[in-house]
Amino acid sequence: MLKVEEDIKEKLEKIYRILFDRYGKQHWWPVESREETIIGAILTQNTNWKNVEKALVNLRKNNLLDFRRLHSINEKELASLIRSSGYYNQKSKKIKNFVEFLSKGYGLDLDDLFRLNVDSLRTKLLKINGIGKETADSIILYAANKPIFVVDTYTKRIMDRIGFKEDSYDKLQELFMKNLSKDVEMFNEYHALLVRLGKEICKKEPLCKECCLNRLCCYYSDRINKNF
DNA sequence: TACCAGGTCCTCG
DNA sequence: CGAGGACATGGT
């Protein structure tokens, strides 16, 4: 392997190690079922998880964390139950789209769908209107338990600042997938740790002095050099 | 009050 | 393609 690639691999592993040592296990995606994970993945699009939880409570109360039941409820009624998660009309439609897809191709059976390999599963999910790359990847990693690296705005911002400036979702994802072992648990934890860091430290206005990654971050070095 | 949060789709150039 | 707008609530 080329030396440069070796460096990338080491750096990505180092970042993970430092984050894990600093924050520990994150207990990411605190839900009970694959159904809930999938619905949560849609509901959390550009939305605070707290708002999503309220919606999930509503759905659970109505036994609607179940695709068979979701299939029979009407879109308007579903929208009213997930109101707290924002964009509720769109999200209601998106959930129905997923359920419709699952019904048509797989008789509402997740096991059937998840038998596909990662690539074909991703391709199929992306054809559903309302399921974009991050949502598809979240479903694959957190519901299907298959190894894929989830990229989100935190991931982009953090990696951008550290010095891995990839210009697209797929390239950034490739960076992780090519250089790390395809380990579901680790991908899960890595993503969760990046989100933790993004929320608490690497915000729009970053708190670089408190950041456990600042010694290996380009953005931080630049600021130091400018005598910030 | 204004801004932000675990995106995606559509439209236009 | 890529930028820009629409979608919407709840918390600070």
Side-chain angles (χ1 to χ4, degrees):
Chain A
M1 191 183 274
L2 296 173
K3 177 158 196 322
V4 188
E5 291 176 18
E6 199 59 51
D7 287 347
I8 293 173
K9 182 172 153 58
E10 276 175 24
K11 193 155 181 180
L12 290 177
E13 283 169 355
K14 188 169 182 184
I15 290 169
Y16 180 67
R17 210 162 47 239
I18 294 172
L19 286 172
F20 194 89
D21 287 347
R22 171 70 180 79
Y23 295 110
K25 194 165 161 51
Q26 294 301 295
H27 307 288
W28 188 239
W29 217 284
V31 297
E32 292 161 14
S33 67
R34 299 181 299 179
E35 287 80 359
E36 190 170 353
T37 302
I38 292 166
I39 294 161
I42 293 170
L43 293 182
T44 197
Q45 290 172 2
N46 203 35
T47 301
N48 191 313
W49 183 258
K50 285 282 173 227
N51 290 2
V52 173
E53 275 183 331
K54 295 181 212 287
L56 288 175
V57 166
N58 268 343
L59 295 178
R60 190 177 300 111
K61 257 191 312 209
N62 291 275
N63 292 317
L64 282 165
L65 295 174
D66 174 308
F67 294 131
R68 223 161 285 285
R69 302 251 309 169
L70 276 174
H71 196 231
S72 58
I73 191 178
N74 90 24
E75 194 179 307
K76 277 283 169 227
E77 194 178 343
L78 177 57
S80 73
L81 290 169
I82 61 172
R83 188 172 182 282
S84 68
S85 72
Y87 306 132
Y88 49 86
N89 289 314
Q90 290 205 348
K91 285 173 179 174
S92 176
K93 191 164 296 177
K94 293 174 179 186
I95 290 170
K96 293 293 275 180
N97 285 346
F98 178 85
V99 174
E100 191 57 29
F101 156 82
L102 194 61
S103 167
K104 284 213 164 117
Y106 304 90
L108 288 173
D109 184 359
L110 274 182
D111 288 323
D112 251 20
L113 173 64
F114 288 167
R115 257 190 277 281
L116 296 170
N117 65 43
V118 173
D119 287 341
S120 18
L121 178 53
R122 190 171 198 261
T123 305
K124 300 234 179 193
L125 290 174
L126 288 176
K127 284 185 185 147
I128 303 169
N129 189 299
I131 309 288
K133 288 174 179 173
E134 186 186 339
T135 307
D137 291 340
S138 296
I139 291 172
I140 295 168
L141 181 65
Y142 297 114
N145 287 305
K146 293 171 189 291
I148 198 158
F149 202 94
V150 178
V151 172
D152 65 359
T153 48
Y154 294 124
T155 313
K156 283 178 207 136
R157 185 165 69 213
I158 293 167
M159 298 309 283
D160 209 53
R161 285 180 176 154
I162 287 178
F164 292 105
K165 299 186 192 306
E166 300 293 346
D167 53 11
S168 74
Y169 185 105
D170 290 326
K171 282 185 190 163
L172 186 49
Q173 180 176 61
E174 275 283 292
L175 180 75
F176 288 100
M177 306 270 299
K178 285 262 154 90
N179 291 290
L180 298 170
S181 57
K182 298 201 185 342
D183 177 339
V184 172
E185 284 307 308
M186 189 267 289
F187 281 175
N188 181 327
E189 209 58 51
Y190 206 144
H191 180 250
L193 288 163
L194 288 173
V195 173
R196 176 81 182 265
L197 187 77
K199 276 184 180 164
E200 295 181 5
I201 306 288
C202 199
K203 311 192 257 194
K204 280 202 171 172
E205 275 311 313
L207 310 173
C208 296
K209 284 175 186 158
E210 303 170 36
C211 182
C212 59
L213 297 177
N214 61 19
R215 288 177 311 289
L216 46 79
C217 181
C218 291
Y219 185 75
Y220 183 69
S221 331
D222 288 352
R223 291 175 74 165
I224 292 293
N225 291 336
K226 284 186 200 140
N227 212 354
F228 163 69

